[in-house]
Amino acid sequence: MHAKLIHLKSPTIQEVNHATKEEQLEWLMEQYGDLVMRLAFTYVKEKQIAEDISQEVFISCYKHLQNFEQRSTYKTWIYRITVNKCKDYLKSWSYRNIYYRDKLQSFFKGSSHSSESKFLVSEENEELFQKVLALPTKLRESIILYYYEGFSIDEIAELLAIKSNTVKTRLHRARATLKVTLEEEIIDEK
């Protein structure tokens, strides 16, 4: 196959598997690059570090493409690599000994309303996203994967190598924590 995979609207798995490693990597980066970046950002809360982790993820993908057994989708495989790279980073010396102060930036876009309503929606999304990012890692990753990335409970369980009931419990706890936080904020505003 000499055609570039990214120019195909939706190549089949067979087309992807028969492409060169470089074409496969290019396709994976095109398909999942933004998603990997967002997921990494939710863990490390630092854009530059998330970019570095994203690069590491795709380097790892390139090195291990021949070992991909297709027991899961490419998306699940890449997300698992991303989660593991993020967790490795969070355990690292540099993370534990350096304090990052960059402000969070929203990755979400407002709907197509007036400029004022776009601003308000964007501001609300960013406030909510900051509250999600403030959750403990185990709760945060479940919320992000379920609500922002659209994974099912079973897919999250597979991705994180935990039981489905554990995912359900984490989602419940995360929602309850967010609810309390939002209710406290409303009370404080009054």
Side-chain angles (χ1 to χ4, degrees), residues 37-120:
M37 178 65 180
R38 277 198 312 263
L39 181 59
F41 182 79
T42 64
Y43 274 88
V44 298
K45 302 178 189 175
E46 174 73 27
K47 185 177 179 184
Q48 289 178 324
I49 302 298
E51 289 172 349
D52 292 345
I53 288 172
S54 296
Q55 288 180 352
E56 289 180 32
V57 166
F58 288 110
I59 289 170
S60 185
C61 286
Y62 183 77
K63 287 179 181 176
H64 300 287
L65 267 171
Q66 72 279 1
N67 299 332
F68 179 64
E69 297 176 359
Q70 297 181 7
R71 286 185 279 164
S72 63
T73 64
Y74 280 111
K75 183 177 181 181
T76 303
W77 180 60
I78 287 175
Y79 271 43
R80 179 173 283 256
I81 293 169
T82 305
V83 166
N84 289 338
K85 294 281 184 196
C86 290
K87 287 181 177 181
D88 289 346
Y89 173 76
L90 293 174
K91 292 176 192 173
S92 72
W93 178 91
S94 59
Y95 175 76
R96 287 180 286 137
N97 294 291
I98 299 173
Y99 180 74
Y100 295 101
R101 296 179 185 222
D102 285 351
K103 288 187 175 188
L104 299 174
Q105 295 179 351
S106 176
F107 284 103
F108 306 106
K109 298 176 182 165
S111 58
S112 58
H113 298 294
S114 71
S115 296
E116 184 177 317
S117 63
K118 279 184 186 179
F119 175 76
L120 292 175

Side-chain angles (χ1 to χ4, degrees), residues 133-167:
L133 289 176
L135 292 170
T137 303
K138 290 180 179 183
L139 302 181
R140 181 175 66 233
E141 69 189 0
S142 297
I143 287 285
I144 297 290
L145 292 171
Y146 187 76
Y147 288 106
Y148 292 96
E149 300 300 337
F151 281 101
S152 71
I153 289 173
D154 291 335
E155 290 172 327
I156 296 169
E158 179 186 340
L159 186 65
L160 300 177
I162 57 178
K163 295 179 181 179
S164 294
N165 284 338
T166 304
V167 174

